[in-house]
Amino acid sequence: MTELVDVVLGGTFHAAVLFLVAAGLQLVFGVQKIVNLACGSFYALGAYFGITAVGLAIKLGMPPVLFLPVLVVAGLVIGLVGLPIERVLRTIYRRDESYQLLITFGFLLMFQDVFRYLWGATPRTMDNVYLAYGSAQFLGVRVPTYNLLVIAASLAIAVGLGLFLERTKIGRIVRATAENRDMAEGLGVNASKIFALVFTVGCMLGTVGGALVVPSSAASLDMAVELVVESFAVVVIGGLGSMRGALVGALVVGLMRAAAISLVPEMEMLSVYLVVVLVLIVRPAGLFGKAAA
Amino acid sequence: MLDLSNLKVDIEGSRILNGIGLSVAAGELVCLVGRNGAGKTTTFRSIMGYRRARSGSISFEGADLTKLPTWRIAQRGIGFSPEESEVYTDLTVAENLELSTWTRPTGRAATARIEEAYTVFPKLRQYLARGGGQLSGGERKMVSIARALTLDPKLLLLDEPFEGLSPAIIPLIAEGIGSIRAMGKGVLMAESNVHHIPDYVDRIYVLERGEMMFSGTLAQAHRDRDVMRVIAGQIEVVS
């Protein structure tokens, strides 16, 4: 029983972070129709920058309980890097998908070197935050309080993003632009502005995800590519372009991975991609994807 | 209010509009008539800035539109309803109508602008909560025209508002267009079937193979054999 709770909690924690990055990927794909491979870099960028920010907070003598908000703010701030990147991507919106994949892949590789240059090749860790939050008793299992907070934060972001898209004027304009950009412009929408906004929000989802995960693991050069691989599993399972798909896909991948790690650790990625292959065969559009979109 | 002069537009190397001129005055209902492929949609899309003119001018209230991005053209007060209606299926009917009030705030309250659209198409009230994807062709057309109207424009561009609609619904749309004109707004509509042109139009232009072959009243057009041969097809030639 405790093992099951352990797997579920561990999987949900991983899913919470994965959801943030995948949601960014989905948002950008939904509106700009670009599959952004650089989403993994944003995640790694958030992680590295989070370490720097917490290092600064420690120097300033902030109490450790404030580190979680510091990480969130750091993620949001560095997410602004999405603005200049969107300026570059703007040139290829109407081009073939292969160009878009190549250019975002180019960003992924360039970011690797930026990380190496700024933060070095050895992984950077930060366990002081993790320990500062202590642990809690949950269904008879001791879990790091930090993990529970991250799950809560991710859920809050999911709900907030949903409300933003469904209920606000700007959210509806974003959805209209996603569905038919030309018509939106014909109704007075400055689509370039909407694209810049969406891309930056998508980027922030990734950087906040990275900043939140770093206390429990490490910031390393592999994390960008690793996350791209997992996000794609999420997107394929959930359906490209769907927010609900991102949520469910992230849970499936997170839980499958946690279960595999607890049972047969060597089969971690195999188990996830087994589901991916299954979904591709049985339901190619994904669980929440629009058929033949 | 709207003036096109010597407008030339190419699409992928071939000339679609070959130096056309056209004007719409405030409060005027003008119909651009022509067969399929004559260049009506290209004319509309050029006015809206989706297509760039090779040469010539498009001006609205004295300002040049040819260099402006589409959204700025809409912001100047031109409401566009495309041939395929292009109602948002991801939004409800009510949200479709509200959208233009958010994108272009004017001095008038959003509620007044939306109310105005309901008086033009009273039937719209019945399916406000419906999704844009759950509408018939005629209903979509009403939403599309109403959405152009809630932009609070001075001029409306309606591309083939009767195209593909059931005969039962055409009078409803025609009546709506009449009451839009009665509000003092300019309307430029495209039509391929001369029998669908409402008899209350002020003037018509006839476009044939990218050139303007006629401009005048509907009655004058009916007396012009060449014009009738083009726009009435084989159906009948009124002498």
Side-chain angles (χ1 to χ4, degrees), chain B residues 120-192:
Chain B
V120 170
F121 297 116
K123 276 199 85 169
L124 283 182
R125 280 186 206 278
Q126 295 168 19
Y127 21 80
L128 285 183
R130 243 195 256 178
Q134 304 156 274
L135 301 172
S136 71
E139 291 160 353
R140 269 205 304 278
K141 187 50 83 182
M142 284 188 214
V143 174
S144 181
I145 297 175
R147 186 178 61 185
L149 184 63
T150 52
L151 195 71
D152 203 11
K154 297 162 196 147
L155 173 73
L156 283 95
L157 302 183
L158 312 177
D159 195 0
E160 304 230 20
F162 307 126
E163 178 68 24
L165 301 187
S166 74
I169 204 138
I170 289 177
L172 278 181
I173 307 273
E175 218 173 280
I177 295 172
S179 45
I180 290 172
R181 195 252 310 255
M183 291 167 185
K185 302 195 184 284
V187 179
L188 176 63
M189 62 179 271
E191 185 51 64
S192 53

Side-chain angles (χ1 to χ4, degrees), chain A residues 165-193 290, chain B residues 45 48 50 70-72 74-75 78-82 85-91 95 98-100 102-104 147-148 151:
Chain A
L165 288 172
E166 293 291 325
R167 299 283 163 82
T168 66
K169 289 179 186 179
I170 298 277
R172 289 178 177 121
I173 291 174
V174 165
R175 276 156 57 213
T177 311
E179 186 181 330
N180 184 340
R181 174 186 176 173
D182 278 353
M183 192 65 242
E185 291 186 306
L187 293 169
V189 174
N190 182 352
S192 300
K193 246 189 186 167
K290 286 175 189 134
Chain B
R45 294 188 67 82
M48 287 309 293
Y50 293 116
T70 298
W71 68 274
R72 284 209 187 274
Q75 292 284 351
I78 302 183
F80 177 46
S81 165
S85 298
E86 299 185 30
V87 169
Y88 286 112
T89 56
D90 202 25
L91 302 180
E95 287 169 341
E98 280 170 76
L99 187 77
S100 329
W102 305 326
T103 58
R104 182 171 185 259
R147 186 178 61 185
L151 195 71

Side-chain angles (χ1 to χ4, degrees), chain A residues 98-128:
Chain A
S98 52
Y99 285 95
Q100 305 172 346
L101 279 175
L102 281 173
I103 199 168
T104 59
F105 185 59
F107 273 114
L108 185 76
L109 296 178
M110 288 193 290
F111 264 112
Q112 291 298 91
D113 276 2
V114 172
F115 299 149
R116 208 191 314 267
Y117 179 74
L118 290 177
W119 285 283
T122 40
R124 304 281 296 263
T125 55
M126 172 180 60
D127 31 18
N128 39 0

